[in-house]
Amino acid sequence: MTVLVPVLGDQLSHGLASLTGCDPADTVVLMMEVAEEATHVRHHKAKIALIFSAMRHFAAELQAAGWRVDYVRLDDPDNAGSFTGEIIRASERHSPRLIRVVEPGDWRVEQAMLDWQTFTGCPVEILPDSRFLCSRDEFAGWAAGRKELRMEFFYREMRRRTGLLMDGKDPVGGKWTFDAENRSGPPPGLAGPPLPRLAPNAMTQQVVELVSTRFADHFGSLEHFNWPVTAAEAEQAAEAFLNKRLPTFGQLQDAMVRGQDFLFHAVLSPAINLGLLDPLDLCRRAEAEYRAGRAPLAAVEGFIRQLIGWREYIRGVYWLEMPGLAEDNFLGATRPLPDFYWTGETDMACLADCVRSTRENAYAHHIQRLMVLGNFALLAGIRPQEVADWFLVVYADAFDWVELPNVAGMALFADGGRLASKPYAASGAYIDRMSNYCGSCRYKVKLKAGPDACPFNALYWHFLARNADKLGRNMRLANPYATWRRMSEDKRAEYLASAEDFLGQMKPAEPGWVRHNSD
Ligand SMILES: Cc1cc2nc3c(=O)[nH]c(=O)nc-3n(C[C@H](O)[C@H](O)[C@H](O)COP(=O)(O)OP(=O)(O)OC[C@H]3O[C@@H](n4cnc5c(N)ncnc54)[C@H](O)[C@@H]3O)c2cc1C
Ligand code: SF4
């Protein structure tokens, strides 16, 4: 009797814990393209194409390495449409003595997995995902008894544990973080080096065709598809980043330039999250660039912090806080998501450009997500669940474990500050400082109120005023609240009215973008 090893779409790593130690002669690897995962929310077309193409390539690689792979395609007429349905069918085909699987990245899928034994009558072994440095149990141990979970303390432990950028017990350069050096706005004419062009092969083209017909009415374009779908392609993308963009990554990490969608970012998150790249290996190679004098410490430390700090921390928080995190709404935000998040049709040049990049590439970089798209949703008081659904749909790298804490915790403060010590709320001045958007915008960033004023300005004060009972005692907001209190009654009333006018004109999104109307 065989061992059945289901490999999910974001588990495309040859060193996956469930494969390690299995004998290919006695194992059936099960891979499943199921409609439930593609339409649970109506993902961006490019995201579905990326995942299915990467799965098909991975299955071919496993077969070439001697594994027996049972691959269920989306268009298989008997496809049951869900992981559980397919596990039941595969158990009937193979009568396994054991189902061996790595824990998923989605709380919802784990709940289903916990029932597989009951449905199949076969023992199910769920293994920790060893592709993360910090296991769920270890993170829970670190978090136990702490009043606040702050990334910087967690990050120090990860540096010590990995030895990355360490001189003995001390951090290289005498500081744990060089973030303060990584906040430059864009100089005029800033452009990033082009990404390597990855021509889609026949297998990818076939998937792109399938997606463009089967998911034609999903958000997003397939025209610009350029995501790595194999480990070899991901390696090409990683090399290009380490050689061409890493040295400038830190300094311009927060900069935004209209029409420049990638600048000096890694653009590796989809490949990392699918398992095509090993984050620790990337960090070691980034450190080697610093040690060889080819990249400055601030850039390399910044990159390593994102991966062993933020990425690991975010995942730990997800499993610690679920399922409550999905329902959190500390600020009581209830406004529906405006339609321009889908259409991009807004006079706000910053938002329009971020939505355009999102539609074309299934990508926007971190500051666009946090300080434009997230910040606007925070200031306007959009219901966190609608914002989280949007982020889950539109980005190629969006999986529940990483998308939800970033949206609910970091961008929207919906968790009441367990993840971030203060909301990332900012007026138009921040966007103006960090981008070239405002120059081409119909709104005037220097105007504070009225129909021509940058909407972020009045919304910022509206946000602080309406949440004063919940945020007014936050020490990190003491200065803006003091400024608000010092303002004349008239000025305050003018700001609030201007914000109300703008909010009143926002058109809610049509239903059906996230889920079919009938769902
Ligand atoms: C509101 C919001 C939603 C987000 N949703 C996602 C998401 O669904 N999936 C996702 O992978 N990231 C998400 N992020 C984090 C971050 O924006 C993306 O990882 C990053 O933009 C990916 O692009 P990159 O590879 O060019 O990253 P870079 O900016 O070059 O960073 C390097 C790597 O660090 C990791 N990283 C950086 N920041 C984070 C973070 N906050 N959380 C987790 N990993 C991080 C990523 O693996 C990334 O590839 C979100 C951030 C915000 C503010
Ligand atoms: S003026 Fe305001 S709305 Fe326009 S681009 Fe600048 S920040 Fe965005």
Side-chain angles (χ1 to χ4, degrees):
M1 282 211 315
T2 56
V3 177
L4 184 67
V5 176
V7 171
L8 307 185
D10 60 352
Q11 298 182 342
L12 310 181
S13 313
H14 288 280
L16 197 68
S18 52
L19 292 169
T20 310
C22 277
D23 175 1
D26 178 36
T27 304
V28 174
V29 176
L30 175 68
M31 297 185 69
M32 307 160 273
E33 295 174 2
V34 293
E36 183 173 294
E37 296 309 309
T39 56
H40 143 69
V41 292
R42 307 175 75 207
H43 299 284
H44 192 301
K45 293 189 203 71
K47 179 181 183 182
I48 304 178
L50 163 65
I51 295 173
F52 285 174
S53 176
M55 285 173 66
R56 291 181 185 193
H57 281 90
F58 188 70
E61 287 175 16
L62 286 178
Q63 273 162 339
W67 294 93
R68 202 170 134 207
V69 181
D70 183 353
Y71 195 99
V72 183
R73 287 184 177 232
L74 188 72
D75 44 12
D76 177 338
D78 296 324
N79 192 319
S82 69
F83 284 149
T84 299
E86 281 307 314
I87 291 290
I88 295 170
R89 284 203 322 129
S91 299
E92 288 163 4
R93 280 197 299 278
H94 305 292
S95 307
R97 64 182 154 80
L98 176 69
I99 298 172
R100 198 164 190 255
V101 66
V102 168
E103 63 194 358
D106 187 324
W107 187 85
R108 174 185 57 86
V109 175
E110 189 172 71
Q111 295 310 296
M113 220 176 239
L114 293 172
D115 285 335
W116 286 358
Q117 186 152 335
T118 312
F119 284 123
T120 60
C122 174
V124 177
E125 185 185 11
I126 302 179
L127 302 167
D129 192 340
S130 56
R131 299 172 303 167
F132 289 91
L133 288 173
C134 182
S135 73
R136 286 159 59 172
D137 285 347
E138 284 167 338
F139 190 86
W142 174 80
R146 285 174 197 260
K147 249 172 91 189
E148 290 181 327
L149 304 180
R150 291 292 166 250
M151 198 289 292
E152 65 251 41
F153 299 118
F154 172 78
Y155 168 56
R156 289 177 195 185
E157 298 223 356
M158 291 298 107
R159 287 273 294 277
R160 289 192 190 99
R161 185 193 287 195
T162 56
L164 283 162
L165 290 180
M166 295 298 290
D167 273 341
K169 285 190 190 146
D170 299 317
V172 169
K175 284 198 291 187
W176 291 102
T177 170
F178 293 82
D179 203 23
E181 293 170 32
N182 287 347
R183 288 181 190 148
S184 304
L190 181 70
L195 297 182
R197 187 78 213 142
L198 304 165
N201 65 11
M203 196 182 270
T204 301
Q205 282 171 19
Q206 203 182 25
V207 172
V208 165
E209 251 164 60
L210 171 78
V211 172
S212 59
T213 44
R214 179 92 186 248
F215 304 104
D217 54 356
H218 282 215
F219 175 79
S221 149
L222 281 163
E223 261 170 64
H224 307 259
F225 188 91
N226 191 35
W227 292 112
V229 295
T230 61
E233 284 186 351
E235 180 52 33
Q236 244 181 288
E239 273 287 307
F241 169 66
L242 292 168
N243 295 337
K244 300 214 174 90
R245 302 202 297 286
L246 175 65
T248 323
F249 168 81
Q251 190 199 350
L252 293 165
Q253 199 178 331
D254 291 1
M256 298 177 278
V257 177
R258 189 175 186 186
Q260 284 287 321
D261 300 338
F262 309 109
L263 286 174
F264 297 90
H265 289 270
V267 200
L268 294 176
S269 47
I272 296 170
N273 293 349
L274 292 183
L276 303 177
L277 288 172
D278 172 7
L280 184 56
D281 172 62
L282 284 174
C283 289
R284 296 217 187 285
R285 289 162 66 188
E287 176 171 4
E289 293 299 301
Y290 161 68
R291 301 262 183 205
R294 290 189 292 262
L297 180 56
V300 171
E301 187 281 316
F303 179 67
I304 289 176
R305 178 159 27 89
Q306 308 304 323
L307 282 169
I308 66 166
W310 278 112
R311 186 169 184 272
E312 294 280 337
Y313 167 81
I314 284 284
R315 178 193 184 241
V317 167
Y318 176 79
W319 288 107
L320 203 64
E321 303 284 344
M322 281 302 280
L325 185 62
E327 299 306 320
D328 277 349
N329 190 356
F330 173 72
L331 298 175
T334 55
R335 205 172 293 278
L337 190 79
D339 69 339
F340 54 72
Y341 273 74
W342 299 109
T343 64
E345 287 167 16
T346 165
D347 287 341
M348 290 182 281
C350 51
L351 265 150
D353 192 58
C354 294
V355 174
R356 178 204 50 76
S357 172
T358 302
R359 186 187 318 109
E360 288 180 6
N361 308 309
Y363 178 88
H365 69 68
H366 186 68
I367 291 301
Q368 293 176 314
R369 296 189 206 195
L370 183 62
M371 299 311 295
V372 177
L373 297 155
N375 182 27
F376 183 88
L378 172 75
L379 299 185
I382 313 296
R383 205 168 79 83
Q385 289 69 27
E386 293 198 30
V387 185
D389 277 349
W390 184 84
F391 274 93
L392 185 60
V393 166
V394 301
Y395 291 116
D397 59 20
F399 297 88
D400 210 45
W401 68 266
V402 57
E403 172 272 324
L404 187 61
N406 270 303
V407 173
M410 194 186 300
L412 301 182
F413 210 69
D415 64 347
R418 290 197 298 282
L419 190 144
S421 56
K422 78 172 177 75
Y424 284 90
S427 67
Y430 173 87
I431 296 174
D432 191 29
R433 193 165 62 248
M434 300 312 298
S435 78
N436 69 352
Y437 287 137
C438 303
S440 58
C441 186
R442 101 126 178 90
Y443 295 109
K444 306 278 172 283
V445 71
K446 304 276 186 242
L447 289 183
K448 307 290 182 209
D452 293 328
C454 166
F456 282 84
N457 291 340
L459 284 173
Y460 176 75
W461 294 115
H462 192 272
F463 166 78
L464 287 180
R466 73 172 186 269
N467 291 304
D469 57 334
K470 292 185 171 133
L471 301 175
R473 280 183 297 282
N474 183 317
M475 288 311 292
R476 298 199 59 201
L477 293 174
N479 284 342
Y481 272 111
T483 308
W484 176 246
R485 280 191 295 271
R486 275 198 306 271
M487 275 181 208
S488 68
E489 277 292 322
D490 287 353
K491 183 129 252 147
R492 283 197 242 166
E494 191 189 3
Y495 286 162
L496 295 182
S498 182
E500 286 291 336
D501 274 354
F502 184 84
L503 292 171
Q505 287 164 23
M506 271 183 353
K507 195 168 132 227
E510 296 285 330
W513 279 109
V514 174
R515 293 181 184 83
H516 284 279
N517 290 334
S518 54
D519 291 350

